[in-house]
Amino acid sequence: MNYVTFGGVTVGLCILGYQLMGWYPGRKQLMKDPVKHASKLLPFLASWAYGCLTTLGIGGLIGTASSSVLGLSNWLGDAALVWGVGESVGQQAGAKTFVPLSSPGAALVLIATCVFIAAVKKASEDNSKTLKLGAWCGITLGTSAGVAGFAAVPLAQAANWCGDNLYAAI
């Protein structure tokens, strides 16, 4: 099972804060056309959900890549906490339990990986960066014990349900 340290969560929250500050149009503009501005967050949120799903019991190359990103994020965040603010490291911040993906759910993650790669290749440079940051943020926050970690349970259940229904229909 993948676990995340406080440093990894810190990296994920830094990515989330960076993305939100780059997106925020200002109160006046947001109140004027909230749907237009909220829709600009959809690519980030979709790739966040994908990144979160890759941490939930996925093996193979996708799971290895996700675990590597999580391990690197843990190390970077722990190093930043030690050198930046003098905090101790290595404390697990992960959720105690999570809903693993079923076989059809895991197959759906493979399909989502193909779609994600195509989206990154097709997107403009800025949108490609947004997609990559979203997936990275999802990987780091998907197994946290906070709100993002709680979001992993419904995401896994939705992936399992969609996979079950997709493969039952074929």
Side-chain angles (χ1 to χ4, degrees), residues 34-59:
V35 174
K36 173 186 167 192
H37 293 294
S39 68
K40 291 181 181 179
L41 276 179
L42 288 179
F44 180 82
L45 293 175
S47 62
W48 180 90
Y50 165 73
C52 184
L53 284 173
T54 64
T55 64
L56 300 176
I58 296 292

Side-chain angles (χ1 to χ4, degrees), residues 107-161:
L108 194 70
V109 172
L110 179 61
I111 294 167
T113 300
C114 293
V115 171
F116 178 76
I117 291 169
V120 168
K121 285 187 171 203
K122 185 176 179 165
S124 66
E125 188 174 327
D126 286 343
N127 288 339
S128 176
K129 180 180 172 185
T130 297
L131 292 172
K132 291 174 188 174
L133 285 175
W136 187 8
C137 186
I139 289 169
T140 58
L141 296 180
T143 56
S144 70
V147 173
F150 291 131
V153 173
L155 278 173
Q157 290 173 340
N160 289 339
W161 181 83

Side-chain angles (χ1 to χ4, degrees), residues 3-35:
Y3 71 93
V4 65
T5 65
F6 288 121
V9 170
T10 302
V11 168
L13 291 174
C14 287
I15 294 168
L16 181 62
Y18 174 85
Q19 187 64 32
L20 289 176
M21 289 310 301
W23 161 82
Y24 186 66
R27 184 181 181 278
K28 192 174 195 177
Q29 289 294 326
L30 188 59
M31 296 302 284
K32 186 177 182 180
D33 194 359
V35 174

Side-chain angles (χ1 to χ4, degrees), residues 56-106:
L56 300 176
I58 296 292
L61 292 174
I62 297 169
T64 301
S66 178
S67 292
S68 298
V69 169
L70 183 59
L72 178 63
S73 298
N74 286 339
W75 183 84
L76 287 172
D78 288 345
L81 286 175
V82 168
W83 295 329
V85 294
E87 186 58 44
S88 60
V89 300
Q91 301 169 6
Q92 187 172 339
K96 301 298 181 208
T97 61
F98 67 95
V99 176
L101 293 169
S102 64
S103 294

